[in-house]
Amino acid sequence: VSPVAQAAHQIALIIASFTFMVSMGLAQAGSIRVSNAFGRSAWDKIYAIGRSTLYISLFYGCICGIFFYAAKNYLPTLFNKNPEVITLASSLLIFAAIFQIPDAIQAISSGLLRGIKDVKIPTLYVFISYWVIGIPVSSYLAFKTNLGVKGIWLGLILGLSFSGIFLLRRFLKKTKL
């Protein structure tokens, strides 16, 4: 992978990580609130807390995704002045915009499941999502096709999406009223 691709990847990842901190905060808050309701065996409250936390996170993820897309040509200039890096980072921010939603879902769902003391199966789901699906697909797309660093991001989106789907389904199944 070229230095330009590495720099562009790092810029897009830093920007995406910055916005992810809000989802992590929401996941922690949701986990604590769900844990309190779990201690009271208030499953209706657990479901309501989970749903509201997911909605807030999805709204925030959509706003971030829209912002990333709208500012994709400007944000990389805050980190680098090389036109090649800026161009590639701008295209990677489109992928970062897309993965805001599955990233938010997987973070929140994981936190909510921790709040109901469900960690073993979710850990297996995350392992499968990233190590069995995401990383092999990223590697294949990056090195066996002409996608390069964009292939890595596509695999990342796929891994996050599977993780989000698996974890959300688990939470909904556990809290089914």
Side-chain angles (χ1 to χ4, degrees), residues 91-174:
S91 69
L92 295 181
L93 281 176
I94 295 170
F95 293 102
I98 294 167
F99 90 60
Q100 292 301 300
I101 301 301
D103 204 17
I105 292 170
Q106 67 87 28
I108 298 301
S109 298
S110 179
L112 297 173
L113 288 166
R114 272 193 308 276
I116 60 172
K117 297 185 179 186
D118 185 21
V119 294
K120 290 181 182 174
I121 298 299
T123 301
L124 177 63
Y125 288 165
V126 169
F127 175 82
I128 292 167
S129 298
Y130 299 141
W131 290 97
V132 177
I133 300 169
I135 291 174
V137 169
S138 288
S139 179
Y140 176 79
L141 292 175
F143 302 113
K144 301 292 184 191
T145 70
N146 291 330
L147 291 174
V149 71
K150 292 178 184 179
I152 292 172
W153 281 76
L154 284 171
L156 176 62
I157 290 169
L158 189 65
L160 286 169
S161 296
F162 271 95
S163 179
I165 291 166
F166 290 158
L167 295 173
L168 179 57
R169 284 188 66 211
R170 177 113 178 136
F171 177 74
L172 293 174
K173 181 179 175 187
K174 293 287 233 176

Side-chain angles (χ1 to χ4, degrees), residues 12-31:
L13 198 57
I14 286 169
I15 294 168
S17 297
F18 179 76
T19 60
F20 180 69
M21 292 300 110
V22 172
S23 291
M24 285 302 297
L26 287 168
Q28 293 301 316
S31 179

Side-chain angles (χ1 to χ4, degrees), residues 76-88:
T77 65
L78 299 173
F79 298 88
N80 199 298
K81 300 301 176 202
N82 181 322
E84 288 179 88
V85 172
I86 292 169
T87 300
L88 185 54

Side-chain angles (χ1 to χ4, degrees), residues 14-62:
I14 286 169
I15 294 168
S17 297
F18 179 76
T19 60
F20 180 69
M21 292 300 110
V22 172
S23 291
M24 285 302 297
L26 287 168
Q28 293 301 316
S31 179
I32 292 165
R33 291 186 66 216
V34 161
S35 180
N36 285 331
F38 182 72
R40 295 188 313 270
S41 296
W43 287 97
D44 57 330
K45 295 284 187 202
I46 292 169
Y47 178 78
I49 292 165
R51 198 173 81 196
S52 65
T53 306
L54 279 162
Y55 286 156
I56 291 167
S57 183
L58 286 173
F59 177 75
Y60 174 75
C62 287

